[in-house]
């Protein structure tokens, strides 16, 4: 576990004068998740519906989730672990659902957790069996095995179809996968995607909008995915996937841009940028967000960073709807 000394503090953060911190009271219990953690103990943590920056004391790692008790002293917020609380992991979810732990099922569970949908063992097994036939290859043929990225994408597309109450089929899966992640989408697929967008399943609602745009010497194609809370009329998450290709070349650049809670992240797929390139792009996107009213340098209302977008929705295994 995290603690050997019960008096040791878990997380400290400055109490900014905004709704995220001012709504907290002494003794509140919150579900906290570590989003990022540096070697010096500096961390970004998600709780109370917002992202906080502070310092961690204890042997934690990124992705840990646990219940914490709030202690407020002056302008500081302290989080201490609840008695008997341990950093939860995906194993809690698997054991409660009676499912084997593997990469595919992890990604499927992540989809339903993000959309705050009920975790149903039969539904998850149905998706797993469908994808397992597509991705499982004989041992020893490493080059033929689907990459982790392909498994993650496949889990999203198949889970999206299942969550809308539709029957999984190879044709429908191929159409939805191509519309979201590219790969030769046919214009006739628009009708299928329109149907998907209008069907409301349990929990939050994904809408997928593919796009294509031509510039003077290049072409951009991709998809905009919006996660909506229809009841509250709120946007929970936005993910833009885009492939840029020059007319004079067959090669392109694939990028992902994500806005989730108070975090804007960007990354180039299958290529690593230099630290200078990342810093320059961070400044560029910060200025863009400032101009559009998303970013305030005084309150740091939106964090900009390079890397994989954070998993949207509540922390895994904290709110199991079973």
């Amino acid at each position: 576990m995290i603690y050997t000394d019960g008096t040791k503090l878990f997380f400290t953060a400055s109490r900014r004068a905004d709704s995220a911190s001012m709504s907290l009271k002494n003794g509140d219990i919150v579900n906290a998740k570590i989003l990022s953690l540096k070697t010096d103990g500096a961390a970004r943590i998600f709780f109370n519906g917002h992202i906080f920056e502070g310092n961690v004391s204890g042997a934690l790692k990124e992705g840990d989730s646990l219940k914490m008790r709030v202690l407020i002293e002056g302008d500081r917020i302290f989080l201490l672990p609840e008695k008997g609380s341990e950093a939860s992991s995906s194993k809690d979810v698997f054991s409660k659902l009676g499912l084997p732990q593997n990469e595919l099922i992890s990604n499927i569970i992540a989809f339903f957790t993000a959309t705050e949908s009920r975790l149903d063992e039969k539904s998850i097994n149905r998706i797993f069996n469908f994808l397992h036939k597509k991705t499982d290859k004989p041992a020893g043929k490493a080059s033929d095995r689907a990459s982790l990225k392909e498994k993650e994408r496949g889990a999203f597309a198949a889970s999206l179809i299942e969550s809308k109450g539709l029957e999984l089929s190879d044709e429908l899966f191929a159409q939805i996968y191509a519309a979201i992640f590219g790969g030769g989408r046919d214009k006739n697929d628009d009708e299928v995607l329109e149907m998907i967008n209008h069907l409301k399943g349990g929990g939050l609602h994904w809408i997928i909008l593919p796009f294509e745009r031509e510039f003077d010497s290049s072409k951009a194609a991709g998809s905009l995915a919006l996660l909506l809370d229809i009841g509250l009329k709120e946007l929970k998450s936005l993910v833009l996937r885009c492939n840029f290709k020059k007319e004079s070349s067959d090669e392109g650049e694939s990028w992902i841009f994500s806005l989730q809670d108070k975090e804007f992240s960007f990354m180039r797929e299958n290529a690593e940028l230099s630290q200078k390139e990342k810093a320059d792009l961070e400044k560029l996107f910060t200025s863009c967000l400032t101009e559009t009213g998303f970013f305030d340098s005084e309150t740091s209302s939106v964090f900009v960073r390079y890397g994989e977008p954070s998993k949207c929705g509540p922390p895994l295994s904290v709110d199991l709807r079973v």
Side-chain angles (χ1 to χ4, degrees):
M1 221 326 251
I2 297 170
Y3 291 95
T4 55
D5 180 357
T7 65
K8 196 171 185 180
L9 295 174
F10 163 74
F11 181 81
T12 61
S14 60
R15 193 181 188 213
R16 298 196 306 269
D18 58 24
S19 59
S21 58
M22 297 303 289
S23 63
L24 290 169
K25 303 185 298 296
N26 269 318
D28 281 352
I29 304 298
V30 297
N31 295 318
K33 181 170 184 176
I34 299 294
L35 298 179
S36 64
L37 181 62
K38 297 181 179 179
T39 53
D40 61 358
R44 295 171 67 252
I45 185 171
F46 179 86
F47 66 95
N48 200 38
H50 295 81
I51 297 174
F52 290 80
E53 291 189 329
N55 295 290
V56 165
S57 299
L60 279 176
K61 58 183 181 297
E62 290 186 13
D64 278 347
S65 301
L66 66 164
K67 291 186 181 296
M68 308 297 293
R69 183 175 294 275
V70 174
L71 174 65
I72 299 174
E73 292 184 0
D75 64 346
R76 305 293 294 176
I77 298 173
F78 302 93
L79 295 185
L80 294 86
E82 267 289 85
K83 261 188 177 178
S85 172
E86 297 188 354
S88 61
S89 67
S90 57
K91 290 182 180 179
D92 300 331
V93 183
F94 292 103
S95 60
K96 289 181 180 180
L97 292 176
L99 295 168
Q101 184 172 1
N102 57 54
E103 190 68 34
L104 264 181
I105 290 184
S106 294
N107 288 323
I108 296 167
I109 289 177
F111 175 92
F112 287 99
T113 305
T115 56
E116 300 181 12
S117 302
R118 179 176 179 269
L119 294 176
D120 178 72
E121 181 183 354
K122 291 182 179 179
S123 180
I124 292 172
N125 271 318
R126 207 160 32 236
I127 301 169
F128 171 74
N129 290 332
F130 175 82
L131 293 172
H132 186 62
K133 297 174 183 177
K134 291 182 172 297
T135 59
D136 188 45
K137 303 293 179 182
K141 297 185 178 180
S143 60
D144 292 336
R145 290 174 186 159
S147 67
L148 294 178
K149 182 64 67 177
E150 288 172 333
K151 287 184 179 181
E152 182 179 322
R153 291 177 172 181
F156 182 91
S159 298
L160 178 65
I161 295 170
E162 176 74 22
S163 70
K164 305 291 186 175
L166 298 174
E167 184 177 351
L168 273 169
S169 68
D170 290 336
E171 181 181 3
L172 182 57
F173 175 82
Q175 288 175 314
I176 298 303
Y177 189 98
I180 301 173
F181 305 109
R185 181 177 67 91
D186 191 287
K187 292 297 183 183
N188 294 329
D189 296 345
D190 288 347
E191 293 182 7
V192 174
L193 202 57
E194 184 178 349
M195 174 188 65
I196 285 283
N197 287 338
H198 281 84
L199 287 174
K200 176 68 171 70
L204 305 182
H205 182 54
W206 275 111
I207 289 179
I208 312 295
L209 306 171
F211 66 87
E212 291 180 354
R213 184 171 180 179
E214 293 189 5
F215 302 97
D216 292 338
S217 59
S218 62
K219 181 179 180 181
S223 67
L224 174 65
L226 306 171
L227 183 59
L228 308 174
D229 187 321
I230 302 298
L232 296 178
K233 297 182 180 179
E234 288 182 352
L235 173 66
K236 292 293 187 179
S237 177
L238 178 155
V239 180
L240 176 70
R241 298 177 179 274
C242 192
N243 181 268
F244 298 92
K245 185 176 291 185
K246 293 183 178 180
E247 291 181 354
S248 58
S249 174
D250 291 333
E251 296 183 359
E253 295 182 4
S254 295
W255 289 77
I256 301 177
F257 306 93
S258 170
L259 180 61
Q260 164 65 27
D261 294 314
K262 291 197 170 186
E263 177 182 273
F264 175 84
S265 64
F266 64 97
M267 67 172 293
R268 181 180 173 185
E269 293 192 280
N270 304 321
E272 185 62 34
L273 302 184
S274 67
Q275 289 301 321
K276 184 180 184 308
E277 288 173 320
K278 293 177 184 178
D280 289 343
L281 283 171
E282 225 173 90
K283 290 180 181 177
L284 172 63
F285 291 131
T286 298
S287 65
C288 290
L289 291 169
T290 302
E291 291 175 5
T292 54
F294 280 100
F295 183 85
D296 185 334
S297 58
E298 293 184 2
T299 62
S300 297
S301 56
V302 172
F303 300 92
V304 180
R305 72 176 184 89
Y306 179 86
E308 289 272 5
S310 298
K311 298 292 185 185
C312 52
L316 185 64
S317 80
V318 168
D319 181 18
L320 288 179
R321 301 189 175 218
V322 294

